[in-house]
Amino acid sequence: NVWTLTTARDFLKSLGDDDYGNRYLSIFTLMTPLSLVALPFQDVAIHKFGFAWGLQGVNFLGLTHGIIKVASTNLNVQILGFLVFSFFRCFLFSVVFSCLASFTSSHATGRAVGVMYVTAGAASFLNIGLTYLIEKLNGNFFIPNLIFVVLTTPMIYIAYLIGKALDCDVRAKEELHALESFSAPAASTYPAEQDAEDGNVAPAT
C-alpha cells in the first residue's frame, strides 16, 4: 500500500507516462476514491464467508495488483491495476480492522491496532533498501515489484492460520455459552432454596 502510493509517480514515469503528460498518474489519483465501490463486496465476503476468506481476499487483490505491475509495461493495462489497487485498499483496512475487533476486547483493540501499525511501520523500512535498488537498476521497478509479490505469497498461509485460530475462538465461545446456559437455571434456584431452608421464605407446597 505505502510502496505503491509513494512510488506511483516514478513507476509510471519508467513506463513512459511523461510522454503523455502524466495522464496515467492522474487516472491513478482519480481512481483511488473508487475503493468505496468495493464496500458491498467486502461486506458479502465477511458475512457470507467469514474473516478468513476476507483476509484471503486482501491477499488475492494484493497479489493480482503486484502481478499486473510485474507482468506488463503497457500503461493501459496498468489502469486495470489501478482498479484492483483501489479494491485492495478497501479490503485491507475494512477487513483487517473488523477482524481485530472480532477477537479482541474493547479495552485491547486500541493496543492491537497500535501493534499492527508499529509492525507495518517497521516493515516499511524495506522500502528504503528497495529505493536504493531502483537507483542501481537505473529506474527499473521490475525486481523491487517482484520482491513485493514474493513477500505477499506467505501471507496466504498466515491468513489460513488466522482463520483456524478464529474458528477455534468461535467454538470456545459457543461451548462457554452453552455451559453457562446449562448452569444458569440451577444457580438461579439456589438462593430461593437456601432462603427456604433458613426459614426466611416459606417453601412452596
Side-chain angles (χ1 to χ4, degrees), residues 58-73:
V58 175
N59 293 330
F60 172 76
L61 291 169
L63 280 172
T64 301
H65 177 243
I67 290 171
I68 290 173
K69 292 175 71 175
V70 169
S72 178
T73 58

Side-chain angles (χ1 to χ4, degrees), residues 64-65 68-69 76-86:
T64 301
H65 177 243
I68 290 173
K69 292 175 71 175
N76 291 320
V77 174
Q78 295 304 319
I79 294 177
L80 175 61
F82 302 160
L83 179 63
V84 174
F85 180 70
S86 296

Side-chain angles (χ1 to χ4, degrees), residues 9 16 41 47 53 55 79 88 112 133 175 181 188 194 196:
R9 169 72 179 84
F41 299 97
H47 287 89
W53 283 103
L55 292 171
I79 294 177
F88 165 76
L133 179 60
E175 291 173 359
S181 300
S188 64
Q194 185 65 40

Side-chain angles (χ1 to χ4, degrees), residues 107-143:
H107 302 291
T109 301
R111 294 187 182 92
V113 172
V115 170
M116 183 183 69
Y117 271 114
V118 169
T119 304
S124 294
F125 282 106
L126 175 64
N127 296 348
I128 299 175
L130 293 178
T131 300
Y132 284 117
L133 179 60
I134 291 171
E135 291 179 356
K136 290 185 177 181
L137 295 173
N138 297 319
N140 191 318
F141 277 77
F142 177 80
I143 292 179

